[in-house]
Amino acid sequence: MVQASDFAFSGLHIPGNTSNSVGSRVTPVAVTQIPGLNTLGISMVRIDYAPWGINSLHTHPRATEILTVIEGSLEVGFVTSNPENRHITKILKKGDVFVFPVGLIHYQRNIGYGNVVAIAALSSQNPGVITIANTVFGSKPDINTDLLAKAFQVDKSVVWQLQTKF
């Protein structure tokens, strides 16, 4: 039996707690929060950024994202796929919109001294998120240190240090 609560979410007006290591908080509104989104191919998020906070390098394997800045200014960017690996970046101000194509690694960074609020829509009710640093350096069990050192062309001690942070 479907009811109105299966199609509603309250609380997107509430700022997220940005007191964390990256200085941002994502508040999702996807199929987990609104069961009525199932099979509809849409979802959204509110992203709050503390001064100089980031939404770290990540990708959505099942969705394109379109983001608009509600308050403040953001540096945004994504990297195209191999072999070009072009870094596409732009500074957004209040009211500006930017698109992150499906599957590409992207980020946002508050470039100011005030808080920033952004709203993003995604082209899936379950877009998924893969945070690059957490995935590579925080996997359980760990990815082999020699493999990571060779892939990133760094000393193994750098990999060990990164793995302890995640």
Side-chain angles (χ1 to χ4, degrees):
M1 295 294 295
V2 175
Q3 47 194 322
S5 62
D6 292 325
F7 296 88
F9 175 87
S10 295
L12 212 55
H13 65 289
I14 300 168
N17 182 356
T18 60
S19 298
N20 56 55
S21 61
V22 294
S24 71
R25 175 69 62 199
V26 176
T27 303
V29 184
V31 72
T32 304
Q33 293 74 32
I34 302 179
L37 285 174
N38 193 32
T39 75
L40 297 182
I42 58 169
S43 60
M44 64 186 305
V45 297
R46 172 189 171 130
I47 313 165
D48 291 277
Y49 308 83
W52 304 103
I54 64 169
N55 189 6
S56 190
L57 293 166
H58 64 284
T59 182
H60 304 288
R62 296 180 293 276
T64 291
E65 176 179 345
I66 186 167
L67 176 140
T68 186
V69 176
I70 304 302
E71 195 62 50
S73 296
L74 285 175
E75 172 193 350
V76 300
F78 65 85
V79 179
T80 65
S81 58
N82 293 344
E84 292 85 12
N85 296 317
R86 288 187 53 221
H87 180 206
I88 309 295
T89 186
K90 184 157 179 59
I91 303 298
L92 303 181
K93 295 181 170 63
K94 182 177 181 176
D96 290 346
V97 175
F98 196 81
V99 175
F100 303 102
V102 62
L104 294 185
I105 294 173
H106 61 281
Y107 66 91
Q108 302 98 40
R109 179 173 69 128
N110 181 349
I111 57 169
Y113 293 97
N115 293 331
V116 172
V117 178
I119 298 288
L122 297 111
S123 63
S124 171
Q125 70 273 2
N126 185 17
V129 65
I130 300 168
T131 306
I132 306 307
N134 294 356
T135 302
V136 173
F137 297 109
S139 67
K140 300 295 178 224
D142 290 344
I143 296 173
N144 179 281
T145 305
D146 290 328
L147 185 149
L148 290 176
K150 191 168 191 169
F152 286 98
Q153 299 291 293
V154 297
D155 188 80
K156 286 192 283 188
S157 64
V158 172
V159 173
W160 289 327
Q161 181 183 14
L162 289 168
Q163 285 176 325
T164 63
K165 293 186 180 295
F166 297 93

